[in-house]
Amino acid sequence: LMGAGLLVRSFLRLTSVDPGFQVENVVSVAVTLPLTRYGESSQQSQFFVDLAERVAQLPGIDTTGVVTTLPFSSLGTEFDIPFSIEGLDAASPSERPQAKYRAVTPGYFETMGIPLLAGRSVDRLDGIETRRVVLINETMAARYFQDRTPVGTVLNMPMLGDLEIVGVVGDVRHQGLAAEVEPEVFVPLVQLPLPEAHLVVRSMSDPATIASAVRTEVGRMDAQLPLTQVASMESLLAASVAQPRFNMALIVMLALYAVVLAGTGVYGVISYSVAQRTGEIGLRMALGAGALDTVTLVVRQAGRMLLLGVVAGVAGSLAAGRFLEGMLFSVAPSDPTTLALVALSVLLTGLLAALIPALRASRVHPVEALRTD
């Protein structure tokens, strides 16, 4: 029961974590471009920009965008890219801080509902021929800029050179709800594209209809191009917590089975005890004990056993809690609230199981009980 309680509280806290974006009404489509036909960076970026613009013109589509690494998806290319910050002490190449690299097109942050905290978002004028820009996430801004304003500062990164920070966006938990947020940089896709990316579409229409329309549009652009993943963001979020949900469900089922066994065991022991003490109970009643006195006698006996069991159970659960520690999120293995609720539930279950034979004992006729003895 303690293990079930801990996993239930852990799962509830996990699912209450803000992923950093709005999962409702967003469909994602993963596209991988073959390098044999899209070997040039300009070809890759142009394909994804055109795809986002063409899908945006379809009926029922609100906004679209492209990102190279989608939250909660195992597809895509993710890597750490080192950087240095203008105005801060320079470090050796091996000591330079790093951030997760993401390439995006205009409309991505709006489609995903990722808040813009400072500056501006990516627009169509950002590219190779214009000034080179970058957006950073809130964690990176807090870690490396502290009280300074990051907007307007220049970052230097390999393969990209000097990039001006034009905006700060909210944190997104890309690796899962339980994962720590890392520093991230978001670069316009045309500045450093990758052959694998995700198109995200926000629409109030049915996700299956949207997916079919996107497939058709991709086929018109390149009939030989397969879609590697089509999924709603809600389904990807649900899949990311599938393992914790399974762990919780399994332990809860075992805990419920344990409750039934415990209740049945208490009922059987107390019933046997009452049967053995029928003569004693009859004598007590013949000497003036009432029905309430008899019930109290039986329940008190059960209560002593239950208290001993709860004490042993608490000690055992505290010792065994460390084995669940790796499966818990934001809950201590010895969580006092869970421990108190579990102990109370065990006591109530045992007392209810003991109440049935106690009530039956209170209805014993003294003469019949003495004859039985």
Side-chain angles (χ1 to χ4, degrees):
L1 278 175
M2 183 63 178
L6 290 172
L7 288 178
V8 168
R9 294 201 69 192
S10 174
F11 184 76
L12 292 177
R13 291 193 176 183
L14 179 65
T15 53
S16 67
V17 172
D18 181 10
F21 60 92
Q22 299 173 6
V23 299
E24 299 82 6
N25 306 316
V26 178
V27 176
S28 66
V29 179
V31 180
T32 302
L33 301 176
L35 295 180
T36 53
R37 290 185 288 120
Y38 297 90
E40 299 293 331
S41 297
S42 58
Q43 293 177 304
Q44 299 168 7
S45 61
Q46 192 61 50
F47 177 90
F48 288 119
V49 170
D50 291 346
L51 176 61
E53 292 179 349
R54 293 178 62 160
V55 172
Q57 302 303 316
L58 297 176
I61 302 299
D62 296 332
T63 57
T64 63
V66 174
V67 65
T68 50
T69 307
L70 188 71
F72 305 130
S73 176
S74 59
L75 301 177
T77 303
E78 181 180 79
F79 57 89
D80 294 319
I81 186 167
F83 64 88
S84 58
I85 302 173
E86 182 185 62
L88 297 183
D89 294 336
S92 65
S94 61
E95 296 175 345
R96 295 174 71 182
Q98 295 185 335
K100 296 293 183 183
Y101 175 82
R102 325 244 182 241
V104 299
T105 64
Y108 169 71
F109 299 113
E110 294 77 10
T111 302
M112 292 291 287
I114 300 173
L116 181 65
L117 304 180
R120 66 171 179 86
S121 186
V122 177
D123 61 38
R124 295 183 179 182
L125 298 179
D126 296 324
I128 298 176
E129 301 302 326
T130 62
R131 61 179 182 176
R132 302 171 71 81
V133 300
V134 63
L135 282 82
I136 65 176
N137 68 344
E138 186 178 5
T139 292
M140 181 168 171
R143 181 175 300 180
Y144 296 106
F145 292 90
Q146 300 172 357
D147 297 333
R148 296 178 58 195
T149 300
V151 176
T153 305
V154 174
L155 290 185
N156 180 274
M157 290 186 286
M159 300 181 291
L160 292 167
D162 291 335
L163 305 175
E164 180 186 354
I165 300 176
V166 296
V168 179
V169 296
D171 288 334
V172 174
R173 296 181 180 270
H174 278 85
Q175 305 303 323
L177 296 178
E180 293 294 329
V181 178
E182 300 181 75
E184 297 173 348
V185 294
F186 298 88
V187 174
L189 186 71
V190 295
Q191 294 180 185
L192 184 59
L194 297 173
E196 187 173 22
H198 298 260
L199 172 72
V200 290
V201 180
R202 177 170 292 278
S203 173
M204 298 299 292
S205 303
D206 178 62
T209 303
I210 298 301
S212 177
V214 173
R215 282 193 182 95
T216 301
E217 204 60 39
V218 172
R220 290 173 180 169
M221 295 180 65
D222 188 338
Q224 301 178 5
L225 197 62
L227 303 182
T228 52
Q229 183 187 71
V230 180
S232 68
M233 291 308 301
E234 289 179 306
S235 66
L236 290 177
L237 176 60
S240 72
V241 296
Q243 188 62 50
R245 183 188 294 111
F246 173 79
N247 293 339
M248 178 193 69
L250 179 62
I251 299 298
V252 166
M253 288 177 59
L254 294 174
L256 292 176
Y257 183 60
V259 169
V260 173
L261 285 178
T264 303
V266 171
Y267 172 79
V269 170
I270 299 302
S271 294
Y272 179 77
S273 175
V274 168
Q276 293 295 102
R277 301 175 65 183
T278 300
E280 176 194 341
I281 292 173
L283 181 59
R284 288 176 179 272
M285 297 182 72
L287 294 175
L292 181 59
D293 297 323
T294 302
V295 171
T296 303
L297 174 69
V298 176
V299 171
R300 186 185 296 120
Q301 177 192 5
R304 285 195 295 267
M305 291 193 300
L306 287 168
L307 285 174
L308 288 173
V310 166
V311 170
V314 166
S317 64
L318 291 175
R322 56 191 179 90
F323 295 106
L324 289 175
E325 191 169 4
M327 294 188 286
L328 300 179
F329 173 77
S330 193
V331 177
S334 58
D335 181 60
T337 302
T338 305
L339 193 61
L341 290 174
V342 167
L344 183 60
S345 67
V346 171
L347 284 172
L348 290 177
T349 301
L351 290 175
L352 287 174
L355 191 59
I356 299 175
L359 291 174
R360 188 166 61 243
S362 69
R363 293 193 293 268
V364 172
H365 194 281
V367 175
E368 295 179 358
L370 292 173
R371 286 176 179 174
T372 302
D373 190 50

